[in-house]
Amino acid sequence: MSSTTARFSASPRLSFSLLLSLTALVACEDRLPEDKDDGSDGATDGATDGTTDGGSGDGTTDGSADGGTDGTADGGGDGGGTTDCQAPVDIGLWMDTEYMDATLLSTTPYTNDAGIAAVKAALPEGEEPVEVSLPISGATVTSVGYAPSGAGPDIWISDASGTVLTFRAGDDTLGVKPGDNVSFTVTQVTNYFDKLEITGLSDFSIDSSGNPIFYNVGYDTAIDVNAWAYQNVHIWGELVTEPVACGGAYSCFDLRSGSQTVAYRINLESLGDYPDRNGDCVQALAPLDIFSGAPQINIFNYDWRYVVF
């Protein structure tokens, strides 16, 4: 974001490598605060690979208008100056990494039916997993969660009817990347606090790669939590509050993005000496999560966010 100092380096790829070497990304995370049991099932978040609810409210609306220039943050480090956190940003400057080919990003919605609507319709009423047999054919992987080496990550898949995610559904998804079109059979679904998760699958295959990766532009926009649920949202702005605990090792900030404020949730413990801070300029491309009916940016994979201070 402009000529400022990146938290780890000017390169997102190098930033993440340094993060890995500093912390080894081994911190464990609970699915709090709304866990079914004692909150000890240990999802990890970049060190986190699972879905999690929780966080502060959506705050109050404040800040500059679209493309405004009044939300500045003090630069940290050795005389970094000031940064306009509300200035327009080029998503391709930081998302073109080993994680994602930024040239694939698109704001054109999908038009194909890959079977996601039928999966959504199978949301169980109770909390117990339900066995099903539902085909997914040609869904696009729009986001990938962090996973320990050798394990399959959680993935977010999309078609014209929206997005659903897999949660600990097995190692079949190992090696998948955003932009892959995939097919498989859903064998189990779970209702996790009124959110559908694919918790079992079989016959997983990558049909093609390099397909468009859809995202919504969330900056200074009225976010439709129902239509955008789990879809990628690109949002940027300034962290304007001190972090507060919001489930396990997670902390929540208010992220001011233009004239709106959105909850921003991240595991600061795994960031070592370089945690996100009040006043930082943050941009994120992440699946939209929902908590208490309000939008929330949950950083389950550190590749989803970039910080300038």
Side-chain angles (χ1 to χ4, degrees):
M1 296 180 58
S2 73
S3 57
T4 54
T5 304
R7 173 54 51 78
F8 303 110
S9 78
S11 165
R13 183 178 304 162
L14 179 58
S15 300
F16 190 63
S17 298
L18 285 174
L19 175 60
L20 284 171
S21 64
L22 285 169
T23 67
L25 297 179
V26 295
C28 290
E29 180 48 47
D30 301 331
R31 304 191 76 206
L32 294 173
E34 296 177 330
D35 210 337
K36 303 182 184 71
D37 47 37
D38 62 356
S40 59
D41 62 345
T44 56
D45 154 304
T48 296
D49 68 345
T51 61
T52 311
D53 295 325
S56 60
D58 59 0
T60 58
T61 56
D62 186 21
S64 63
D66 187 22
T69 60
D70 61 341
T72 60
D74 290 337
D78 298 327
T82 59
T83 300
D84 180 5
C85 296
Q86 309 299 332
V89 299
D90 183 350
I91 193 172
L93 294 179
W94 67 282
M95 281 308 302
D96 192 15
T97 67
E98 293 178 358
Y99 168 74
M100 179 180 289
D101 179 356
T103 65
L104 302 177
L105 290 168
S106 172
T107 55
T108 301
Y110 299 117
T111 58
N112 65 310
D113 179 3
I116 289 176
V119 176
K120 286 183 173 182
L123 175 70
E125 292 185 2
E127 296 181 358
E128 294 300 316
V130 173
E131 305 302 314
V132 296
S133 180
L134 298 170
I136 293 292
S137 178
T140 303
V141 176
T142 48
S143 198
V144 175
Y146 172 81
S149 177
D154 301 322
I155 63 173
W156 283 251
I157 57 171
S158 302
D159 69 5
S161 65
T163 302
V164 294
L165 71 150
T166 68
F167 177 74
R168 299 183 183 178
D171 295 342
D172 290 347
T173 56
L174 184 66
V176 73
K177 296 186 68 173
D180 289 347
N181 276 5
V182 299
S183 298
F184 57 90
T185 298
V186 179
T187 59
Q188 185 185 83
V189 292
T190 299
N191 182 333
Y192 183 71
F193 295 95
D194 297 324
K195 298 178 182 181
L196 183 136
E197 296 176 350
I198 296 171
T199 48
L201 56 83
S202 65
D203 304 321
F204 184 89
S205 66
I206 298 176
D207 305 327
S208 63
S209 300
N211 299 287
I213 303 166
F214 174 67
Y215 73 98
N216 295 291
V217 178
Y219 178 82
D220 201 31
T221 300
I223 295 175
D224 187 333
V225 293
N226 293 317
W228 293 16
Y230 292 141
Q231 292 181 356
N232 283 334
V233 57
H234 181 213
I235 193 166
W236 64 91
E238 179 183 357
L239 300 179
V240 295
T241 60
E242 295 297 329
V244 295
C246 56
Y250 274 83
S251 297
C252 284
F253 299 82
D254 283 348
L255 171 63
R256 188 178 68 188
S257 176
S259 60
Q260 69 175 335
T261 303
V262 179
Y264 173 87
R265 187 170 185 264
I266 189 168
N267 181 343
L268 298 178
E269 292 184 2
S270 295
L271 289 171
D273 294 333
Y274 301 95
D276 297 2
R277 303 176 305 186
N278 182 15
D280 283 351
C281 295
V282 174
Q283 57 176 309
L285 179 71
L288 180 70
D289 210 341
I290 303 169
F291 179 67
S292 296
Q296 186 178 78
I297 306 301
N298 265 325
I299 304 300
F300 298 138
N301 185 340
Y302 290 143
D303 281 327
W304 295 352
R305 70 76 159 107
Y306 188 61
V307 178
V308 175
F309 71 110

